[in-house]
Amino acid sequence: MDNGIGAVRSRRPAILSKKLADPDNIGDIQLSSHQASRKEALDKTKGLKRSSATAELDADDPGIALLQFNPSQENISDVDTEIDEIQEIPPPKPHIADRTRDVDQFFSRTLKKEGKNVRECRWCSKKQGHPIVLVSDVSTLRRHLQSAHKVAYRDWCAKNNFESRLPKDIQARKDKAEVKKQSRIEEHLTEQEVREKVHYSDQLFREVAVEWLVSTDQPIGALNHPKFHQMIHIASQAKNGIKIPDRCQTRQEIMSSFKKQMNFLRTRLNSFTVQGVVNLTCDAWQASNVDGYFAVTGTWIEEAKPREWETQTALLGFVRLNNAHNGRRLGKALFKVASRLGIAHK
């Protein structure tokens, strides 16, 4: 190159900088020429990730193909990595329409009736000869299938490879899984929770009791209720603390107590101490989740001792209504409660 004085300087050869030639550099490159240089550097340092497989036929036995594949150790590790990544991909979740195929099979599409979303049971409507509608709630509809069409429902599930979603079937699967878990002794061993030791004082108990009273919106007289005193007395006898039941356990205990009370009332109302009639009072209402409920109370005179009569009152029934609240259906619900206790003749 002539610099104007007469001297000629040779052209300096182009050498890739460390930034471009280094394959570990993960920075973004904007220029296309630099990108090409990066690709060339990577090909020279690492080589191709996959080796080409060549197949040739055996001269003696043309029906057998010999596949020659000589992967390097690096390529094998790459393949294993890709396989592991594929195996870790979770399966896609089923669409909401697939999870409710059973409901769509037995019920019509959602309809609007009297401002409520309802669905018509195809099987009941065909059998009764007129539309039978229920609240458009998946849990409610499946409870209806369990009580009225469980045989047909399970047959349909078997033919269509659908896992039964009936409440009893779900509970049976949970119980079966629980039995399998209990096969190991480790499942029965529980670690004792270390709790902070609290020194009792009347002032501290008063503060905690008032705080519970206000937080749970209880009446002031709740602290003087005999059942509250009984609960505190039983808790005070525990040596290693107490275990407070959770929501599911509390619900199950309430239902179990209600069944025991119904059996006790059936025996009591049909004994010789109750000779007269049983007066019934009923009420129906609808909760915020559009579920309807029907409660029945009874009042009667009982001869607890000879020539001593006392007026007694008790809750006789608490029924969920999943259909219209007309007089005919309420009458059926009332008769069902009376028949369960054996007092329909009274």
Side-chain angles (χ1 to χ4, degrees):
M1 178 178 179
D2 189 358
N3 55 6
I5 302 177
V8 178
R9 186 170 61 183
S10 61
R11 183 180 181 85
R12 185 172 60 184
I15 301 176
L16 294 176
S17 66
K18 181 65 176 176
K19 181 176 180 181
L20 297 179
D22 188 2
D24 295 330
N25 181 24
I26 59 174
D28 295 334
I29 301 177
Q30 302 295 334
L31 299 180
S32 58
S33 60
H34 290 182
Q35 294 174 359
S37 300
R38 165 65 64 79
K39 183 177 183 302
E40 183 180 355
L42 291 175
D43 292 341
K44 288 181 180 180
T45 54
K46 284 191 173 181
L48 298 176
K49 287 189 175 181
R50 299 184 180 274
S51 301
S52 60
T54 59
E56 59 182 9
L57 297 176
D58 191 352
D60 297 334
D61 190 358
I64 300 177
L66 300 178
L67 183 62
Q68 298 178 349
F69 180 53
N70 299 320
S72 62
Q73 187 67 26
E74 181 182 357
N75 293 336
I76 292 178
S77 62
D78 291 342
V79 174
D80 293 340
T81 302
E82 292 177 1
I83 292 177
D84 293 340
E85 292 177 354
I86 292 176
Q87 292 176 349
E88 291 178 359
I89 297 177
K93 294 183 179 180
H95 192 267
I96 184 65
D98 297 333
R99 299 199 297 265
T100 58
R101 280 193 300 137
D102 54 338
V103 176
D104 298 334
Q105 176 69 23
F106 288 85
F107 294 90
S108 65
R109 300 181 63 181
T110 303
L111 307 173
K112 206 77 173 179
K113 185 176 181 181
E114 298 179 359
K116 302 178 183 178
N117 292 330
V118 297
R119 300 183 73 167
E120 178 183 347
C121 179
R122 297 190 178 101
W123 289 62
C124 289
S125 300
K126 184 177 179 180
K127 183 178 179 180
Q128 299 293 336
H130 57 85
I132 302 297
V133 296
L134 294 94
V135 178
S136 181
D137 177 72
V138 175
S139 300
T140 301
L141 299 179
R142 282 175 175 154
R143 285 196 298 267
H144 172 76
L145 291 174
Q146 178 175 270
S147 62
H149 314 295
K150 59 182 178 182
V151 176
Y153 177 87
R154 288 169 179 159
D155 291 342
W156 178 88
C157 291
K159 293 179 182 178
N160 293 271
N161 194 23
F162 186 86
E163 188 178 46
S164 174
R165 303 299 298 171
L166 298 181
K168 289 186 178 180
D169 294 343
I170 294 176
Q171 186 62 39
R173 288 195 295 269
K174 290 181 179 179
D175 295 341
K176 187 177 181 180
E178 188 67 24
V179 171
K180 290 183 178 180
K181 284 180 59 179
Q182 293 179 357
S183 60
R184 298 191 306 171
I185 191 173
E186 289 83 358
E187 301 294 337
H188 299 274
L189 301 178
T190 57
E191 184 178 357
Q192 290 290 338
E193 181 181 358
V194 179
R195 298 184 179 181
E196 181 182 358
K197 189 175 181 179
V198 179
H199 297 281
Y200 173 83
S201 66
D202 292 341
Q203 178 63 29
L204 179 61
F205 180 78
R206 227 178 1 252
E207 293 176 0
V208 175
V210 172
E211 185 176 351
W212 168 81
L213 199 73
V214 176
S215 300
T216 58
D217 197 18
Q218 299 290 334
I220 297 180
L223 297 178
N224 297 324
H225 197 281
K227 291 297 182 181
F228 179 80
H229 291 182
Q230 181 183 4
M231 180 183 67
I232 296 298
H233 176 68
I234 294 175
S236 65
Q237 305 302 317
K239 297 181 180 180
N240 296 322
I242 60 174
K243 185 177 180 181
I244 301 177
D246 57 20
R247 179 177 181 141
C248 294
Q249 293 172 341
T250 304
R251 176 180 178 273
Q252 186 65 32
E253 187 65 27
I254 292 175
M255 294 178 65
S256 177
S257 300
F258 182 78
K259 291 179 181 179
K260 292 179 181 179
Q261 176 69 5
M262 292 298 103
N263 293 332
F264 171 73
L265 284 176
R266 182 182 179 89
T267 304
R268 182 179 179 182
L269 294 175
N270 290 278
S271 65
F272 66 92
T273 59
V274 182
Q275 299 293 336
V277 298
V278 179
N279 299 289
L280 302 180
T281 305
C282 55
D283 187 19
W285 71 94
Q286 191 174 43
S288 58
N289 61 350
V290 305
D291 281 348
Y293 296 95
F294 182 70
V296 180
T297 57
T299 305
W300 66 93
I301 296 177
E302 183 173 355
E303 189 178 3
K305 297 180 181 180
R307 298 181 180 274
E308 292 184 8
W309 294 274
E310 296 179 359
T311 303
Q312 303 290 344
T313 303
L315 176 67
L316 304 183
F318 191 81
V319 183
R320 174 182 290 173
L321 297 177
N322 295 325
N323 43 34
H325 303 169
N326 53 36
R328 180 181 178 183
R329 298 189 184 278
L330 293 178
K332 287 183 177 180
L334 180 60
F335 182 77
K336 182 178 179 180
V337 171
S339 299
R340 182 174 60 185
L341 296 174
I343 58 173
H345 62 285
K346 294 187 177 184

